[in-house]
Amino acid sequence: MTAQTLLRRATGLSVSKSVAERAVGQRMEQTGFTDSAAYLQALTPVEMTQLIELVVVPESWLFRDPQAFYATVELVQERWARGRATRILSIPCAGGEEPYSMAMALRDGGVPKQAFSIDAYDLSPGCIERAQAGIYGRNAFRAQDVAFRERYFTHVAEDAYRIIDALREQVTFRQGNLLQFDTATYSRHYDVIFCRNLLIYFDKPTTRAAIHNLSALLADDGMLLAGYAEVPSFCQNGFAPLQFRQAFALKKATAAAASAVQVASLPAVRTLRSVPPAPRRAAAPAAPIAPAASRTRPLPVPSPPPAAQAAQADLLAEARLLADRGQLREAGEKCHDHLARVPEAAEAYFMLGMINELAGKMDLADDYWRRCIYLQPDHYEALCHLSLLAERNGNHTAAATLKARAARIYQRRQASN
């Protein structure tokens, strides 16, 4: 069994072959192995944990996408007014930034500590250790307003701040994997679940399994907070959106509502293994796929007859199938064949962006997604991916603008359904 397969089975993450092999090489150097097959054969649970640490590199910050925290404060306040405490889950919690942000938001909202509890899980023991320490550097304070640092942190070293003990005690951290969570013991246990920017690392079957577990953990009247690029996946798997502005909050759908969501005009989850650019794993290097020749908008072309339209649709379907099989160059060629026939096909540009992203060519991916939204300004998924890429590159102003555009498009579509 390959390292890539072992890591995928252990974590559910879509780890590229090159990233897996690089991690194995590093561990072999540290453990004295000279043969990769022998190393993998001798892999123990402890060593697997060390190997996983090399492919899971989390990055987050305090009060990331703050509307989700404000929506949760409102829910907790309403429930406490009725004498009901709220159980909150953060999974994955990275270095503790998300659950601590939630604890701070609740304190700022005047919510007493007995009104809520917060459990936080992450696959990485290293992340849990950092979260329990509660010490953060400059990169953790990226919010526009960092006045909370004066209220809830003590300065312990140059550019290092430690969260106060009263808030550290409000969060229980544990190492754990969502895909292996004991959903029977914790059935409908949580009133609020934060699971943001995890599904973007999964393929479609793993995404369904993860959402199934989250649904089992969430109370029937509970609220789930997702990443903005993940909302369509949840809506296609038994969830419906809640009307909190830019919080990307969802609830369990009833059988009737779930059926309605299935036929709503939400952007479909692609069969491509869409893994947006992300801090949790490095992209796999690969040969570039040549971009289309021109950035300028092509002249309109006559609509093809129905038979030709069907053939063109088949080209995109073939491209998706090839990409799912890992045949990225062949998939890219199908997209270019489609563009040769339909120069203004925004969907082909979107798929080329996904294909180049999977190939580790982020500059090309960015170029193709921008062509996509030039041709189709309301392409929700392209906007989401561009926002994630801008965020990864540290361009937070551009990321916020793109995210706001995506949110407005999503809300308009919800209002029309």
Side-chain angles (χ1 to χ4, degrees), residues 62 97 134-142 146 149-150 153-163:
L62 296 156
E97 295 89 346
I135 298 175
Y136 299 97
R138 179 182 301 173
N139 285 342
F141 300 93
R142 301 185 201 175
V146 295
R149 188 169 63 191
E150 299 301 318
F153 288 82
T154 57
H155 191 196
V156 295
E158 184 178 0
D159 291 331
Y161 300 83
R162 186 173 186 267
I163 198 163

Side-chain angles (χ1 to χ4, degrees), residues 85-258:
T86 301
R87 298 184 180 122
I88 302 170
L89 171 66
S90 170
I91 185 168
C93 67
E97 295 89 346
E98 181 174 82
Y100 284 141
S101 296
M102 190 66 259
M104 287 185 280
L106 288 165
R107 176 72 68 93
D108 284 343
V111 178
K113 64 180 182 179
Q114 63 269 28
F116 66 95
S117 62
I118 303 175
D119 292 340
Y121 287 79
D122 199 276
L123 179 67
S124 164
C127 284
I128 296 301
E129 184 178 346
R130 290 192 293 274
Q132 290 171 330
I135 298 175
Y136 299 97
R138 179 182 301 173
N139 285 342
F141 300 93
R142 301 185 201 175
Q144 291 182 346
D145 181 4
V146 295
F148 64 88
R149 188 169 63 191
E150 299 301 318
R151 298 194 298 273
Y152 298 122
F153 288 82
T154 57
H155 191 196
V156 295
E158 184 178 0
D159 291 331
Y161 300 83
R162 186 173 186 267
I163 198 163
I164 61 174
D165 289 342
L167 289 181
R168 289 174 64 241
E169 294 167 358
Q170 285 289 111
V171 185
T172 301
F173 291 100
R174 298 186 182 92
Q175 191 271 336
N177 186 339
L178 173 60
L179 298 173
Q180 300 168 359
F181 211 99
D182 183 1
T183 55
T185 300
Y186 290 89
S187 177
R188 299 179 177 85
H189 182 77
Y190 293 102
D191 304 291
V192 177
I193 296 178
F194 282 79
C195 187
R196 304 192 295 174
N197 305 315
L198 174 65
L199 304 189
I200 57 177
Y201 303 98
F202 292 158
D203 61 16
K204 195 169 183 178
T206 309
T207 293
R208 285 196 298 267
I211 293 175
H212 177 271
N213 281 3
L214 290 166
S215 181
L217 295 169
L218 185 66
D220 289 340
D221 61 346
M223 178 173 70
L224 184 142
L225 289 310
Y228 48 91
E230 301 165 325
V231 170
S233 295
F234 278 102
C235 287
Q236 290 193 342
N237 287 278
F239 280 81
L242 289 167
Q243 297 305 312
F244 287 102
R245 183 176 178 271
Q246 294 193 27
F248 304 99
L250 302 115
K251 63 180 177 180
K252 288 184 181 180
T254 63

Side-chain angles (χ1 to χ4, degrees), residues 74-86 191 221:
E74 183 177 324
L75 180 146
V76 175
Q77 289 172 332
E78 291 175 355
R79 295 192 179 207
W80 185 242
R82 301 195 305 268
R84 179 178 170 184
T86 301
D191 304 291
D221 61 346

